[in-house]
Amino acid sequence: MTIGEALKKVQNQLGLTATAMAAGIISKGTYSKVVNGKQSLSSDSLVKILFKNNIDINDFFEMLKSTYMSESKLYEEKLFNGMQQALNNHNTKMAQEYLAQIKTKTSNKYLQQRAEITVAFLTNNIDKLNDEFKKSVIDKLNSHPNWIKDIDALRLFNTSLLILPNDKVEVEMRLFFIKIAHTERISESMKERYAILCCNYLGWRYKKKPKINDNVTNALKYLKDLASTAHFENYKICGKYFNHLFNNEIDTAKQMKSDLLALGITVGVKNWPI
């Protein structure tokens, strides 16, 4: 979908006229040429139109991927999403199939390492990943002084909780919370990625040592403080579940998990420790 097509689609969804959509930014005639593919639109004007009409920028650009993202990047994203789905649903066969494709058809080292760890986790072979592989993951992470801002590095760290030394995880999580506390504005998409990391860290920590430390407290607080929207509801529920676990309210936590699974809510929930 082109920028013009996406603008037209959103305009129709909002029930706006072309004049109302572009008012105060570009003329109706220019807007008409843009949506019909006869003229390009400056980045400044595009952003102004999106902000003026309260259009979700992430959703808007998601519509543009098939047109403006390279084929190789689109393919990598497809493989990433497939591997994530396999992990969330504990589908070992699917994960192994995606790993084979990732190893042979992409050169993305981050994606390859994440896929290797995911399959090792699903097949209970984490201990069989050799020291050379683990060192390569640590080296990759260490090459980013601010990995919380790099999406690929953030995703790799998220998955690597399964193989990193305990002290490495705790130090990096401590730095993570310090950095986000000093970040003025965090986008909705990054908030979600950070929420996923908090949930994964809490699961990792509970399995390693089910006692509350500063990182656990900060992770629980981060999830609790997320906006009460449908978009973040799963993560807030995850925070409540782990809050019960770390406070030794085991029966309550088990009931939460059982109720969610009974409702067909399996994404992430299947990976909860109890």
Side-chain angles (χ1 to χ4, degrees):
M1 185 177 291
T2 65
I3 290 173
E5 291 168 340
L7 284 170
K8 185 65 175 179
K9 181 177 180 179
V10 173
Q11 176 195 326
N12 290 336
Q13 290 173 340
L14 295 174
L16 298 175
T17 64
T19 300
M21 186 78 168
I25 301 171
I26 56 176
S27 68
K28 177 183 176 182
T30 299
Y31 179 78
S32 179
K33 290 178 182 178
V34 170
V35 298
N36 288 302
K38 296 179 180 179
Q39 183 173 325
S40 59
L41 184 65
S42 73
S43 57
D44 285 350
S45 295
L46 173 61
V47 171
K48 287 177 181 178
I49 290 173
L50 297 180
F51 282 146
K52 172 184 178 293
N53 295 290
N54 294 316
I55 297 166
D56 187 294
I57 291 180
N58 290 324
D59 289 344
F60 185 83
F61 280 96
E62 189 69 28
M63 292 190 285
L64 307 180
K65 283 184 176 181
S66 60
T67 300
Y68 298 99
M69 186 179 281
S70 68
E71 288 187 12
S72 61
K73 197 67 178 176
L74 280 170
Y75 184 64
E76 284 183 4
E77 185 163 295
K78 176 185 175 182
L79 294 177
F80 166 76
N81 290 334
M83 181 61 78
Q84 195 63 42
Q85 182 182 357
L87 173 61
N88 289 337
N89 292 295
H90 269 254
N91 191 325
T92 302
K93 182 180 179 182
M94 180 189 291
Q96 290 172 326
E97 290 172 352
Y98 275 110
L99 172 60
Q101 294 179 62
I102 289 168
K103 290 175 70 174
T104 59
K105 297 182 180 180
T106 76
S107 58
N108 187 321
K109 191 66 175 176
Y110 289 105
L111 187 56
Q112 291 173 357
Q113 290 174 324
R114 294 185 71 246
E116 290 268 15
I117 297 168
T118 298
V119 169
F121 168 71
L122 291 174
T123 57
N124 295 314
N125 286 314
I126 286 291
D127 292 340
K128 293 183 180 180
L129 292 174
N130 61 40
D131 290 340
E132 182 179 352
F133 175 82
K134 294 177 182 179
K135 183 179 183 303
S136 71
V137 171
I138 293 174
D139 288 344
K140 198 71 174 171
L141 289 170
N142 287 341
S143 68
H144 287 271
N146 195 16
W147 57 264
I148 76 166
K149 295 291 186 181
D150 184 283
I151 294 175
D152 280 333
L154 176 62
R155 286 171 171 170
L156 178 59
F157 177 72
N158 219 328
T159 306
S160 300
L161 295 177
L162 297 166
I163 66 168
L164 293 175
N166 295 357
D167 57 346
K168 171 74 172 174
V169 172
E170 296 294 0
V171 167
E172 292 297 337
M173 288 302 297
R174 195 173 304 119
L175 292 173
F176 166 76
F177 288 116
I178 291 172
K179 287 178 180 179
I180 63 173
H182 290 85
T183 301
E184 290 186 5
R185 187 182 182 283
I186 303 174
S187 68
E188 292 296 291
S189 57
M190 288 306 288
K191 284 181 182 178
E192 181 173 13
R193 294 185 182 102
Y194 295 162
I196 292 170
L197 174 57
C198 286
C199 288
N200 287 345
Y201 167 74
L202 289 169
W204 172 87
R205 172 71 188 186
Y206 187 81
K207 290 179 180 178
K208 293 288 184 178
K209 192 174 183 180
K211 292 186 181 295
I212 296 177
N213 63 9
D214 288 344
N215 284 333
V216 169
T217 298
N218 286 328
L220 291 172
K221 184 178 186 304
Y222 180 87
L223 296 172
K224 181 181 179 181
D225 290 347
L226 288 170
S228 296
T229 62
H231 187 68
F232 291 129
E233 190 59 33
N234 285 349
Y235 306 110
K236 292 178 75 69
I237 290 172
C238 173
K240 291 177 182 177
Y241 168 82
F242 279 107
N243 187 60
H244 289 310
L245 278 189
F246 279 100
N247 284 288
N248 206 33
E249 299 165 356
I250 307 301
D251 290 340
T252 304
K254 285 183 176 179
Q255 189 61 54
M256 276 189 68
K257 182 175 181 179
S258 177
D259 290 345
L260 290 170
L261 292 175
L263 290 170
I265 303 173
T266 60
V267 176
V269 177
K270 281 189 174 183
N271 294 325
W272 287 356
I274 289 181

